[in-house]
Amino acid sequence: MRQIDASITGSRDLQTFMYTLDPGGPCRSQWDVLGGLERMGFRVNKHRRRLTGIDDVIEYHAEWQRKRHELEHEIDGIVVKVDRFDQQLELGFVARSPRWAIAFKYAPEQAETVVEEIACYVGRTGVLTPVAHVKPVIVGGVTVRNVTMHNEAQVNEKGVYVSARVVIHRAGDVIPEIVSVKEPKQGWRMPATCPVCGGEVVREEPYIAHRCINPFCGAQRLERLRHFASRGAMNIDGLGYATINQLIERKWVEDPSDLYRLTKEQVVQLEGFADKSAQKLLARLADSKGPSLGRFLYALGIPQVGEATADLLAVEFGSIDKLRSATEEQIDAVESVGASMAHEVRRYFEGHGGELVGRLLDAGVHPQVTEAPGEGPFTGKTFVFTGTMEAMGRPDAEALVRKMGGKAASSVSAKTDYVVAGPGAGSKLEKAQKLKLNILDEQQFLELIGE
Ligand SMILES: [Zn+2]
């Protein structure tokens, strides 16, 4: 703003609020002045307020501390003035500072400190998150010791390293972040092994997250077990987070194969279970021992393998043994499986994943052999079933489609040829409508297959 040439200042897009008028004309108070300025067309702060006691002032100060980020401009505090001019005159000045006006500043929202360590935490899904432990510093009124960063790329974009001098920003309830580094340096790397289980850490292409892929990782136990039991996977009803948590706490279940060794004596001890419900859960577990190969593969939680891919792999390889012994090239050759996914699948079975499959087979889980698609009227066609079917079960309908040469996938995409929707169809049907796919009800499907 302070330019010798005033036209430079004039060229800048500056805005200001007006606060004083000198001489004040007929005005007898600060409040009068602000009203007068506004009537004359000047920009006056609309958040001004005339208060009558110190309690109101304290409340106003607290109010704008909370709401300061709702303003279009930054503020660092509020100014409180005695309103009446005659009282201002009586109070006078100390040196150049008026006794009748004072600024109350808010706590600074930025502070400088030093990074002491960069640790990695493993989330429930295996994703590693770097956290900078800093020398404790007060920012925005609270002591900050840890600053979470998103991933390796972000650490290096900012140039954070151990012993770096950094500026931390923390505003309101927003979590603190590192906004700048004094002498930024690149080159920080995620550990190659998981800090919780020592398992292999991979960078998931095309994502920038690093993930521990060990299916036995302690940090991921809960999520992996929940995924295993979920509807699209082994579909073990009644095995929610609360129950799984108890099983983990009692150290009865570490990996999914342990579920099949649970006894009724154990289950009745769990909160929320009695004789009958324990019996029921064990029956459901027993029922889940013969899943389709697609569901089984999905339940394993192989990186990048969702329901649709699991189904494709199941159709292509037919049995778990064939898939387990397939080469990366053979997996890569499957339609819509890319090189990086093939690599992940291969690596999964070579590592601890293969061990988990072995344990599940030993525990009596036997994924059904999937019939290879025959040649027939549906060759090259992909079906997705959603909602309930009445004349035949969904697995039977899917098997029929395969027998007639088609594919049964579990998720809708632009490549889907037919969506068969029964009562209760939800998001898959909506997506099919959006993509303007062929949508059949059960009757139309039966006609199509000639029943
Ligand atoms: Zn791990």
Side-chain angles (χ1 to χ4, degrees):
M1 279 215 289
R2 288 179 188 178
Q3 301 289 330
I4 294 168
D5 181 356
S7 68
I8 296 175
T9 310
S11 72
R12 295 189 174 151
D13 185 19
L14 297 171
Q15 294 183 351
T16 182
F17 292 125
M18 293 299 162
Y19 287 97
T20 54
L21 193 59
D22 190 12
C27 296
R28 291 288 168 267
S29 70
Q30 175 70 43
W31 193 254
D32 284 352
V33 164
L34 294 172
L37 286 167
E38 193 163 51
R39 279 192 298 279
M40 284 184 257
F42 288 105
R43 186 191 297 267
V44 177
N45 194 329
K46 65 177 188 291
H47 299 298
R48 66 183 182 277
R49 213 176 292 166
R50 185 149 60 164
L51 306 168
T52 51
I54 192 64
D55 289 338
D56 288 349
V57 171
I58 292 167
E59 171 50 36
Y60 183 83
H61 178 263
E63 178 187 336
W64 282 104
Q65 179 147 25
R66 285 193 306 273
K67 300 200 314 196
R68 58 192 289 198
H69 298 289
E70 295 169 19
L71 293 169
E72 287 176 331
H73 52 87
E74 296 268 332
I75 59 168
D76 65 352
I78 62 163
V79 172
V80 180
K81 289 180 181 177
V82 170
D83 192 35
R84 272 166 51 186
F85 284 167
D86 59 333
Q87 289 177 337
Q88 287 187 4
L89 214 60
E90 201 180 325
L91 285 160
F93 286 76
V94 180
R96 287 179 64 91
S97 306
R99 283 202 188 90
W100 44 267
I102 190 163
F104 288 99
K105 297 284 179 95
Y106 295 123
E109 297 186 324
Q110 296 204 337
E112 198 181 299
T113 185
V114 178
V115 175
E116 294 180 327
E117 190 195 352
I118 302 176
C120 275
Y121 289 87
V122 187
R124 301 195 307 172
T125 57
V127 173
L128 271 68
T129 305
V131 175
H133 293 309
V134 298
K135 204 165 164 236
V137 64
I138 294 173
V139 196
V142 303
T143 304
V144 173
R145 291 183 174 83
N146 306 312
V147 184
T148 301
M149 285 169 289
H150 297 304
N151 48 50
E152 183 184 280
Q154 199 203 31
V155 174
N156 288 314
E157 261 161 39
K158 295 192 172 185
V160 182
Y161 52 94
V162 174
S163 83
R165 289 204 74 81
V166 296
V167 174
I168 291 173
H169 179 86
R170 182 192 174 277
D173 294 327
V174 179
I175 55 166
E177 61 166 335
I178 292 174
V179 284
S180 65
V181 181
K182 268 281 155 64
E183 288 166 39
K185 269 187 231 162
Q186 279 69 41
W188 184 81
R189 288 286 163 261
M190 281 280 189
T193 55
C194 173
V196 172
C197 71
E200 189 183 2
V201 168
V202 301
R203 182 164 179 265
E204 277 198 326
E205 305 287 352
Y207 314 108
I208 46 178
H210 285 69
R211 191 186 294 267
C212 164
I213 56 165
N214 178 7
F216 301 115
C217 179
Q220 303 170 54
R221 204 161 277 155
L222 177 69
E223 280 306 316
R224 282 187 176 274
L225 286 165
R226 179 64 201 123
H227 172 77
F228 184 83
S230 66
R231 261 184 77 192
M234 301 294 271
N235 194 19
I236 307 165
D237 207 15
L239 206 53
Y241 282 112
T243 305
I244 294 172
N245 250 330
Q246 294 184 66
L247 293 171
I248 292 171
E249 271 166 25
R250 289 170 188 257
K251 296 193 165 45
W252 290 343
V253 173
E254 288 193 350
D255 72 69
S257 71
D258 296 326
L259 291 169
Y260 296 99
R261 281 184 273 271
L262 286 172
T263 63
K264 195 177 155 193
E265 288 66 39
Q266 288 177 314
V267 179
V268 286
Q269 292 178 51
L270 300 175
E271 214 172 286
F273 283 89
D275 207 61
K276 218 171 170 184
S277 46
Q279 195 71 53
K280 245 186 187 166
L281 179 61
L282 290 176
R284 288 199 202 99
L285 278 163
D287 284 349
S288 75
K289 281 181 169 179
S292 72
L293 180 57
R295 278 177 177 274
F296 180 76
L297 293 175
Y298 176 63
L300 292 176
I302 305 167
Q304 297 193 37
V305 177
E307 282 180 80
T309 310
D311 283 343
L312 285 173
L313 290 170
V315 169
E316 195 64 31
F317 291 95
S319 76
I320 184 69
D321 288 331
K322 277 193 192 140
L323 176 58
R324 259 212 294 189
S325 55
T327 64
E328 207 170 306
E329 289 70 32
Q330 285 171 317
I331 301 168
D332 189 12
V334 178
E335 188 195 319
S336 86
V337 171
S340 101
M341 199 190 286
H343 183 68
E344 294 279 10
V345 173
R346 189 64 231 129
R347 176 156 57 184
Y348 179 87
F349 287 116
E350 269 169 11
H352 290 297
E355 201 183 323
L356 175 62
V357 171
R359 285 195 204 182
L360 284 165
L361 298 182
D362 288 346
V365 177
H366 288 292
Q368 305 294 302
V369 170
T370 307
E371 278 173 59
E375 280 294 312
F378 292 162
T379 298
K381 301 280 183 225
T382 303
F383 284 71
V384 172
F385 292 87
T386 176
T388 46
M389 299 193 61
E390 274 143 28
M392 64 176 82
R394 206 195 289 187
D396 291 338
E398 288 175 351
L400 209 62
V401 163
R402 280 194 282 270
K403 221 165 128 190
M404 297 173 86
K407 281 180 187 162
S410 52
S411 67
V412 173
S413 77
K415 289 180 188 160
T416 309
D417 297 287
Y418 294 101
V419 174
V420 183
S427 60
K428 287 180 192 175
L429 178 59
E430 273 171 39
K431 194 167 174 193
Q433 285 162 338
K434 251 183 220 157
L435 292 168
K436 299 197 166 59
L437 302 174
N438 291 314
I439 298 166
L440 310 176
D441 60 22
E442 188 175 353
Q443 193 52 45
Q444 289 168 314
F445 171 70
L446 293 174
E447 280 162 23
L448 190 70
I449 60 173
E451 291 253 324

